[in-house]
């Protein structure tokens, strides 16, 4: 069994995360779906690094992790601001975009 | 080469909890499932020669990010079960089709890819990682530092609520309360009966009528109050038989103007 | 004094502004301000005239540039005044007659509550008319042209509380606008042809321009002149304009403003000299109008309308003369000046009669006023003799020359034009005598409560002065061809031509026709009894009484088709032009409505769309790129 199996696993996790983003109305849950997708990508990166016996993949995964952390900070701040303004964090509520 | 046991363990430990993202109702359950996924991924990293990344994964994701998610969940107070019925027509099928299509596409592409694995064993321990990070990628590292600071400041800006009016002093608050018609003095303490000194019994005014405001509102909502008339009747029975007993259950609140606030309908 | 000629415009203008703004406190003495302003303008003009007479004939044109009016690269117009024999003639006529009429109005309008306003308008008119004749460019002339139009409108509708008077003012205004369009078109053509609107520049280049251009400009100018001077076919407003107070009729609608068309054509002489066809049209229009006016004048019972018809007819003479070219220009102006005197005098006389007869204008209710209004009778009689062309009174010297000049030429023209002028003289004699006899002679046909009396000195003195002018001005100016020579620098020297009939024969014929007309009128209206109610009359009489049904004709020929045309255009605009635009707009709006539905406002739908799009693009890359 090669590390390629982990890449397949990453693909499945990525799809699950995407489905969560599309399906869940709760902004925090949808956000967790995004996190899952990021982590799936990380898994693939680490798997590739293992296959090629190079450290660069791991470094890349490390950077993704840092960026994800920053993203979480800002994203959660936005959710809080949204909650303050609307008393809800449902993604279906902010329907001002409706034409 | 990777350990087969490790792979299957990780696969089960990640795929099954991650399905909670789609099917679980309570956000807290979902968050805890994701913590499990993160731990599983950390195990996979360690198994693939990236012990440093595995540790960072646990520290950052399970320790910081997911805890922050939980914190926000508690902060906004929406730990209620979410109704999973779809509100947008067709969204469910589109979502499943899209996600399924994505999975199939990705798997097809991965299966089609030809990779020639190299031999040799590189372990991403902190020392090795640091060597690469601070030589080849030092500039990126710096930029990431900026990014983190910016994100922190951004979060502060987004969550900051500016004070638009000056803070009111206690004197002003008190004046406003009196102006609104509140009692200028403290409410009487409940339960002043000599033989029944308890929080669930209203105090009596000088005429012997119960003051219902003296009982905590919480107890009233829970219907855990006692009626003062009952005790007064006992008093009157024993101590003052000449005194005319009032009818039970009608402690003449209507006649007691002191307790009827202005603008409030007597109950 | 010549460089100060702008004061002649500025003083009445300032006075008009003052009178309009001063309010009630000036009611008691405001009219004297108006009189003084008009007199001052006259004095300025007289000073300028004296100075001009001291100069050589060749150097008598002076341009006084005031300021750069419209500075521009292509069109540059300076506000300047042109003082030459032609304009000074008008200045003298306007200010002299104007001042007399101002004086007369002080008494005539004595009982009118709005006398101060009346004088303000009169002063405004004097200023605008002076601007018209003194302007050194067509554009500045146009300002004066519109100014007199405005003053005329305001004064015709001075008693606008009567609906018909207000309507008359509107009618004059609208008809004049048609003429103004002619002037605007003419200015456009002049600018296109010569690149300038200054008289000096335009006239210097005029001889080199093509005949077609000059003819076009000439016809457009003629349209303007027809509007302002009530010439056929734009004559319909003048009769109704008699709604204004009588001094206004005398000043504006007899002596000065209505002659502005003649001024315009004489001033544009260099243009007409190069366009014989346009000249012929001018002459023909003049001939038609002079016969038309005379014919109408024979049937009118309203003294003011009869005089208005006479004015039309006399201006027809002037137009005829102006259309004859250099031999006629000077006589046109000459007749204009003498006409200004005797017609103004007669209008003032008519006003005096109306004043005495409680504002009655129906001549069938006059008669035998000779006895009670001696001064009016004498002054009016002098005017009557002048307009008849009886020697040696003023009209003879000017009108006879026009008739003579009309007979000059070749082919059919002298016979037609000269014949019209000759017949017109006879008709003039008939209708003016009719008017004179019906008013002053015969039996008294007054209504019961009438107590006619002579007017006050303030009214009679101006009449007397004008009567003196009517009597002797022609003789004075014609002796030794003084006036013709005076105008020569502007009108050009005319070679002497012999008429097709010898001059003594023309004079004899004219006087004979005048005598016949007068005698006929005496028989019917002097000696015989005049019925108080107008008899039904022949077809000709009815036609003339109704002004040749001009209003009906205008309505049928211009108004109705115009209304239909505009309605059709509006409909076409609404359905075709707007329809196309609106349908297209509606189509886009529907497209917008349809595409709006795509914007559900559901963020998750957008996310799904995005993901599907990403998958599709990835598929294309993977399948197509492999």
């Amino acid at each position: 069994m090669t590390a390629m199996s982990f890449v397949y696993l990453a693909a499945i996790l990525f799809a699950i995360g995407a489905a969560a983003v599309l399906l869940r109305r709760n902004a925090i849950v949808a956000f967790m779906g995004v996190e899952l997708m990021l982590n799936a990508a990380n898994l693939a990166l680490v798997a590739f690094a293992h296959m090629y016996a190079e450290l660069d993949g791991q470094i890349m995964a490390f950077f993704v992790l840092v960026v994800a952390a920053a993203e979480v900070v800002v994203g959660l701040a936005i959710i809080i601001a949204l909650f303050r303004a609307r008393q809800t964090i449902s993604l279906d509520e902010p329907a001002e975009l409706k034409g | 080469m990777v350990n087969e046991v490790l792979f299957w363990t990780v696969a089960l430990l990640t795929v099954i909890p991650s399905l909670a993202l789609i099917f679980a109702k309570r956000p807290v359950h979902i968050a805890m499932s994701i913590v499990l996924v993160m731990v599983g991924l950390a195990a996979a990293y360690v198994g693939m020669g990236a012990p440093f990344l595995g540790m960072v994964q646990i520290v950052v994701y399970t320790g910081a990010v997911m805890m922050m998610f939980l914190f926000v969940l508690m902060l906004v107070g929406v730990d209620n079960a979410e109704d999973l019925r779809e509100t947008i027509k067709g969204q469910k099928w589109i979502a499943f089709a899209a996600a399924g299509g994505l999975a199939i596409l990705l798997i097809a592409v991965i299966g089609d890819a030809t990779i020639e694995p190299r031999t040799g064993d590189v372990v991403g321990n902190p020392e090795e990682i640091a060597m690469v990070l601070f030589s080849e990628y030092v500039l990126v590292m710096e930029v990431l530092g900026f990014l983190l600071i910016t994100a922190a400041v951004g979060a502060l800006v987004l969550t900051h609520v500016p004070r638009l009016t000056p803070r009111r002093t206690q004197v002003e608050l008190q004046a406003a309360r009196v102006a609104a018609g509140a009692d200028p003095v403290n409410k009487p303490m409940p339960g002043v009966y000599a033989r029944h000194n308890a929080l669930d019994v209203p105090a009596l005014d000088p005429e012997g009528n119960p003051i219902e405001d003296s009982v905590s509102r919480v107890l009233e909502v829970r219907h855990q109050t006692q009626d003062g008339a009952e005790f007064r009747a006992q008093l009157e029975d024993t101590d003052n038989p000449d005194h005319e007993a009032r009818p039970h259950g009608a402690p003449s609140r209507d006649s007691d103007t002191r307790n009827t606030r202005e603008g409030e309908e007597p109950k | 004094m010549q460089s100060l000629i702008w004061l002649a415009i500025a003083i009445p203008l300032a006075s008009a502004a003052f009178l309009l703004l001063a309010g009630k406190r000036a009611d008691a003495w405001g009219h004297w301000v108006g009189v003084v302003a008009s007199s001052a303008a006259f004095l300025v003009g007289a000073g300028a005239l004296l100075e001009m007479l001291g100069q050589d004939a060749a150097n008598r044109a002076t341009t006084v540039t005031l300021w750069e009016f419209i500075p521009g690269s292509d069109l540059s117009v300076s506000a300047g005044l042109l003082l030459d024999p032609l304009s000074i003639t008008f200045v003298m006529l306007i200010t002299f007659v104007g001042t007399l009429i101002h004086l007369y109005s002080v008494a005539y309008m004595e009982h009118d509550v709005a006398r101060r306003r009346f004088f303000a308008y009169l002063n405004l008119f004097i200023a605008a008319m002076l601007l018209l004749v003194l302007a050194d460019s067509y554009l500045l002339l146009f300002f004066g042209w519109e100014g007199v139009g405005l003053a005329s409108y305001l004064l015709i509708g001075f008693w606008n509380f009567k609906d018909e008077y207000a309507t008359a003012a509107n009618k004059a205004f609208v008809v004049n606008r048609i003429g103004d369009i002619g002037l605007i078109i003419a200015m456009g053509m002049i600018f296109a042809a010569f690149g300038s609107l200054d008289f000096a520049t335009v006239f210097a280049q005029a001889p080199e321009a093509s005949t077609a251009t000059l003819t076009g400009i000439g016809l457009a100018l003629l349209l303007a002149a027809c509007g302002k001077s009530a010439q056929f076919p734009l004559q319909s407003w003048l009769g109704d304009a008699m709604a204004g107070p009588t001094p206004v009729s005398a000043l504006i609608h007899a002596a000065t403003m209505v002659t502005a068309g003649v001024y315009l054509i004489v001033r544009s002489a260099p243009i007409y000299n190069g366009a014989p066809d346009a000249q012929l049209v001018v002459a023909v229009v003049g001939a038609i109008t002079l016969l038309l006016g005379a014919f109408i004048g024979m049937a009118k019972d309203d003294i003011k309308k009869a005089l208005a018809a006479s004015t039309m007819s006399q201006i027809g003479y002037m137009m005829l003369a102006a259309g004859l070219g250099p031999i006629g220009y000077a006589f046109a102006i000459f007749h204009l000046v003498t006409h200004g005197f005797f017609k103004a005098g007669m209008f003032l006389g008519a006003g005096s009669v109306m004043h005495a007869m409680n504002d009655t204008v129906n001549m069938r209710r006059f008669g035998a006023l000779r006895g009670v209004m001696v001064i009016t009778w004498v002054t009016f009689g002098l005017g009557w003799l002048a307009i008849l062309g009886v020697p040696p009174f003023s009209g003879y010297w000017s009108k006879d020359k026009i008739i003579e000049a009309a007979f000059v030429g070749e082919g059919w023209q002298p016979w037609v034009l000269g014949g019209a002028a000759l017949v017109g003289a006879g008709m003039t004699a008939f209708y003016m005598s009719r008017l004179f006899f019906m008013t002053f002679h015969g039996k008294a046909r007054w209504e019961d409560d009438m107590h006619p009396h002579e007017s006050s000195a303030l009214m009679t003195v101006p009449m007397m002065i004008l009567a003196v002018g009517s009597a002797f001005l022609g003789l004075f100016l014609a002796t030794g061809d003084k006036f013709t020579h005076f105008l020569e620098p502007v009108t050009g020297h005319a070679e002497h031509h012999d008429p097709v009939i010898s001059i003594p024969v023309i004079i004899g014929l004219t006087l004979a026709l005048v005598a016949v007309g007068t005698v006929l009128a005496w028989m019917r209206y002097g000696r015989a009894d005049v019925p108080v109610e107008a008899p039904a009359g022949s077809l000709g009489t009815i036609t003339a009484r109704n002004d040749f049904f001009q209003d009906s004709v205008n309505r049928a020929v211009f108004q109705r088709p115009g209304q239909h045309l505009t309605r059709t255009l509006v409909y076409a605009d609404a359905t075709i032009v707007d329809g196309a635009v609106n349908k297209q707009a509606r189509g886009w709006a529907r497209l917008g409505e349809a595409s709006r539905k795509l914007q559900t406002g559901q963020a998750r739908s957008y996310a799904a769309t995005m993901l599907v799009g990403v998958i599709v693009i990835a598929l294309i890359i993977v399948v197509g790129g492999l």
Side-chain angles (χ1 to χ4, degrees), chain A residues 18 21-25 91-92 94-95 97-99, chain C residues 596-597 599-604 606-609 611:
Chain A
V21 171
L22 295 189
L23 285 171
R24 301 310 291 248
R25 265 169 304 199
L91 283 176
D92 289 356
L97 291 171
K98 183 165 173 55
Chain C
R596 212 183 71 167
K597 300 231 169 70
Q599 300 288 325
T600 55
Q602 301 289 354
R604 291 188 297 137
Y606 299 164
T609 313
L611 183 59

Coordinates of all heavy atoms in Angstrom, one line a residue, chain A residues 18 21-25 91-92 94-95 97-99, chain C residues 596-597 599-604 606-609 611:
Chain A
A18 N -17.1 19.7 1.0 CA -17.8 20.5 0.0 C -19.3 20.3 0.2 O -20.1 21.3 0.2 CB -17.4 20.1 -1.4
V21 N -20.6 22.3 3.1 CA -20.7 23.7 2.9 C -22.0 24.0 2.1 O -22.7 24.9 2.4 CB -19.5 24.2 2.0 CG1 -19.8 25.6 1.6 CG2 -18.2 24.1 2.9
L22 N -22.3 23.1 1.2 CA -23.5 23.3 0.4 C -24.8 23.0 1.2 O -25.9 23.6 0.9 CB -23.5 22.5 -0.9 CG -22.4 22.8 -1.9 CD1 -22.7 22.0 -3.2 CD2 -22.4 24.3 -2.2
L23 N -24.7 22.1 2.1 CA -26.0 21.6 2.7 C -26.3 22.4 4.0 O -27.5 22.5 4.4 CB -25.9 20.1 3.0 CG -26.0 19.3 1.8 CD1 -25.6 17.8 2.1 CD2 -27.4 19.3 1.3
R24 N -25.3 22.8 4.8 CA -25.7 23.3 6.1 C -26.0 24.7 6.1 O -25.3 25.6 5.5 CB -24.5 23.0 7.1 CG -24.1 21.6 7.2 CD -25.3 20.7 7.5 NE -25.8 20.9 8.8 CZ -25.7 20.0 9.8 NH1 -25.1 18.8 9.6 NH2 -26.2 20.3 11.0
R25 N -27.1 25.1 6.9 CA -27.5 26.5 7.0 C -26.7 27.2 8.1 O -26.5 28.4 8.0 CB -28.9 26.6 7.3 CG -29.8 26.7 6.1 CD -31.2 26.5 6.4 NE -31.4 25.2 7.0 CZ -32.5 24.6 7.1 NH1 -33.6 25.2 6.7 NH2 -32.7 23.4 7.7
L91 N -27.2 30.9 7.2 CA -26.8 31.4 5.9 C -27.9 31.8 5.0 O -27.7 32.5 4.0 CB -25.9 30.3 5.2 CG -24.5 30.2 5.7 CD1 -23.8 29.0 5.0 CD2 -23.7 31.5 5.5
D92 N -29.1 31.4 5.3 CA -30.3 31.7 4.4 C -30.8 33.0 4.8 O -31.6 33.6 4.0 CB -31.4 30.6 4.6 CG -30.9 29.3 3.9 OD1 -29.8 29.3 3.3 OD2 -31.7 28.3 4.0
P94 N -29.3 36.2 5.4 CA -29.0 37.5 4.7 C -29.4 37.4 3.2 O -28.6 37.2 2.3 CB -27.5 37.6 4.8 CG -27.0 36.3 5.3 CD -28.2 35.4 5.6
A95 N -30.7 37.7 3.0 CA -31.2 37.5 1.6 C -31.3 38.9 0.9 O -32.1 39.0 0.0 CB -32.5 36.8 1.7
L97 N -29.4 39.9 -1.1 CA -28.9 39.7 -2.4 C -30.0 39.3 -3.4 O -29.8 39.2 -4.6 CB -27.8 38.6 -2.4 CG -26.5 38.9 -1.8 CD1 -25.6 37.7 -1.6 CD2 -25.7 39.9 -2.6
K98 N -31.2 39.0 -2.8 CA -32.3 38.5 -3.7 C -32.7 39.6 -4.7 O -32.8 40.8 -4.3 CB -33.4 38.2 -2.8 CG -34.6 37.6 -3.6 CD -35.6 36.9 -2.7 CE -36.8 36.5 -3.4 NZ -36.5 35.7 -4.6
G99 N -32.7 39.2 -5.9 CA -33.0 40.1 -7.0 C -34.5 40.4 -7.0 O -35.3 39.8 -6.4
Chain C
R596 N -33.5 38.4 -13.0 CA -33.5 38.7 -11.6 C -33.8 37.4 -10.8 O -33.3 37.2 -9.7 CB -34.6 39.7 -11.3 CG -34.3 40.6 -10.2 CD -35.4 41.6 -10.0 NE -36.6 40.8 -9.4 CZ -37.6 41.4 -8.9 NH1 -37.7 42.7 -8.9 NH2 -38.6 40.7 -8.3
K597 N -34.7 36.5 -11.4 CA -35.1 35.3 -10.7 C -33.8 34.5 -10.3 O -33.9 33.7 -9.4 CB -36.0 34.5 -11.5 CG -37.3 35.3 -11.9 CD -38.5 34.5 -11.5 CE -39.8 35.4 -11.6 NZ -40.1 35.7 -12.9
Q599 N -31.2 35.5 -9.2 CA -30.6 36.0 -8.0 C -31.5 35.7 -6.8 O -32.3 36.5 -6.4 CB -30.4 37.5 -8.1 CG -29.5 38.0 -9.2 CD -28.1 37.6 -9.0 OE1 -27.6 37.7 -7.8 NE2 -27.3 37.3 -10.0
T600 N -31.3 34.5 -6.3 CA -32.2 34.0 -5.3 C -31.9 34.7 -3.9 O -32.7 34.7 -3.0 CB -32.1 32.5 -5.1 OG1 -30.8 32.2 -4.9 CG2 -32.6 31.8 -6.3
G601 N -30.7 35.2 -3.8 CA -30.3 35.7 -2.5 C -29.8 34.6 -1.6 O -29.4 34.9 -0.5
Q602 N -29.8 33.4 -2.0 CA -29.4 32.3 -1.2 C -27.9 32.0 -1.4 O -27.5 31.5 -2.5 CB -30.2 31.0 -1.5 CG -31.7 31.2 -1.3 CD -32.1 31.3 0.1 OE1 -31.2 31.1 1.0 NE2 -33.3 31.6 0.4
A603 N -27.1 32.3 -0.4 CA -25.7 32.2 -0.5 C -25.3 30.7 -0.9 O -24.4 30.5 -1.6 CB -25.0 32.6 0.8
R604 N -26.1 29.8 -0.3 CA -25.7 28.4 -0.6 C -26.0 28.0 -2.0 O -25.3 27.1 -2.6 CB -26.5 27.5 0.4 CG -26.0 27.7 1.8 CD -26.6 26.7 2.7 NE -28.1 26.8 2.8 CZ -28.9 25.8 2.8 NH1 -28.5 24.6 2.7 NH2 -30.2 26.0 2.8
Y606 N -25.6 30.0 -4.5 CA -24.4 30.5 -5.2 C -23.2 29.6 -5.1 O -22.5 29.3 -6.0 CB -24.1 31.9 -4.7 CG -25.2 32.9 -4.8 CD1 -25.1 34.1 -4.1 CD2 -26.2 32.7 -5.7 CE1 -26.1 35.1 -4.2 CE2 -27.2 33.7 -5.8 CZ -27.2 34.8 -5.1 OH -28.1 35.8 -5.2
A607 N -23.1 29.1 -3.8 CA -21.9 28.2 -3.6 C -22.1 27.0 -4.5 O -21.1 26.5 -5.1 CB -21.9 27.8 -2.1
A608 N -23.3 26.4 -4.5 CA -23.5 25.2 -5.4 C -23.2 25.5 -6.8 O -22.5 24.7 -7.5 CB -25.0 24.8 -5.2
T609 N -23.7 26.7 -7.3 CA -23.4 27.1 -8.7 C -21.9 27.1 -8.9 O -21.4 26.6 -9.9 CB -24.1 28.4 -8.9 OG1 -25.4 28.4 -8.4 CG2 -24.1 28.7 -10.4
L611 N -19.5 25.6 -7.3 CA -18.9 24.3 -7.3 C -19.2 23.6 -8.6 O -18.2 23.0 -9.1 CB -19.4 23.5 -6.1 CG -18.8 22.1 -5.9 CD1 -17.3 22.3 -5.7 CD2 -19.4 21.4 -4.7

